Amino acid sequence: MSLPTPRRRTPVRASLAQPHDCPRPLRRRILAALPLVEGLTPDQLDALDERILSFSWAAGDALYTAGDAAGHIYIVASGQVKLAHSWIDGRRRIVDVVGPGDLFGGEAMVEQFYLDSADALSTTCALRLAVADFRAILVEHPDLALRVLDNTTRQLAQCRQDAARHVGQSTASRVAETLLRLADKFGQPDDETGGTLINLTFTREDLAEMTGTTPESVSRVMSRLRADGLVSSGRRWTSVLDRAGLAALTA
């Protein structure tokens, strides 16, 4: 009698087991790598760093909730954060997943309250900057202000494109498109499968909220994708095996 194949342990790396401090050297490396602040001198980066506070959250913790007073901008130093919007009828949609170097909470620049909720998907360290300080920095550095405007414009355009594409799009197409996007942003070589491991801990419920469908529908699609050899997946992990095959589902 053949023995059952052992279940693969989740290959997604946790950032840390517990919430952690964000030391100044890490903050400086993150700031220096941000395209938004490209061109600032070391002294200017030091001045920016002095206005920043660092905080950490365990997986599942809320950084802020829709409706909270919007007084800060955030930059991910390590970990991942999901941004979700809730409707009055109870529907919830994950509008973005951000990782190291990404800026979020930008609505605080123009809104009194946060429009979306931000929750840690893994142990996360984020840098927090008061809106008043961020505005002062933009006044001091007009080039940086233009980059922020460009970044915000791209994010709004992406949201509109996503909404337009999802109208009439099948669940399989939505799931395939989302997996490809996550692989592009968080992917790394998967030595065991030869594919691209999405180094992001997310559940079927998360994927359903990213695609505007139900966990049951996502489970059916994922089962079909595995059967067709397009993905390999387990509890809270997914590896893309056939990018071309997934892309064909989005056409």
Side-chain angles (χ1 to χ4, degrees), residues 108-131:
M109 295 293 292
V110 295
E111 299 287 348
Q112 187 177 359
F113 303 100
Y114 288 112
L115 303 177
D116 301 321
S117 297
D119 299 286
L121 278 171
S122 63
T123 302
T124 295
C125 173
L127 314 181
R128 196 179 79 175
L129 182 63
V131 169

Side-chain angles (χ1 to χ4, degrees), residues 92-112:
R92 177 179 164 94
R93 179 72 179 273
I94 294 177
V95 296
D96 200 3
V97 178
V98 293
D102 287 336
L103 182 148
F104 65 100
E107 65 260 42
M109 295 293 292
V110 295
E111 299 287 348
Q112 187 177 359

Side-chain angles (χ1 to χ4, degrees), residues 194-218:
T196 300
L197 174 68
I198 300 174
N199 193 36
L200 178 71
T201 302
F202 62 98
T203 64
R204 292 290 182 269
E205 289 75 13
D206 290 328
L207 191 53
E209 290 181 358
M210 293 179 199
T211 55
T213 185
T214 65
E216 294 77 17
S217 294
V218 165

Side-chain angles (χ1 to χ4, degrees), residues 17-124:
Q18 298 293 331
H20 58 289
D21 293 328
C22 299
R24 187 179 185 189
L26 174 59
R27 297 199 309 267
R28 284 286 277 103
R29 287 199 302 272
I30 294 297
L31 288 175
L34 279 175
L36 286 175
V37 298
E38 183 179 358
L40 295 188
T41 67
D43 287 343
Q44 290 170 330
L45 287 174
D46 284 337
L48 176 59
D49 180 68
E50 289 176 359
R51 295 170 168 173
I52 284 177
L53 295 176
S54 60
F55 295 87
S56 57
W57 295 263
D61 286 350
L63 282 72
Y64 57 77
T65 301
D68 287 350
H72 299 89
I73 306 294
Y74 294 80
I75 302 170
V76 181
S78 63
Q80 299 96 16
V81 177
K82 61 180 178 181
L83 307 177
H85 186 82
S86 297
W87 278 265
I88 296 177
D89 62 5
R91 289 180 299 138
R92 177 179 164 94
R93 179 72 179 273
I94 294 177
V95 296
D96 200 3
V97 178
V98 293
D102 287 336
L103 182 148
F104 65 100
E107 65 260 42
M109 295 293 292
V110 295
E111 299 287 348
Q112 187 177 359
F113 303 100
Y114 288 112
L115 303 177
D116 301 321
S117 297
D119 299 286
L121 278 171
S122 63
T123 302
T124 295

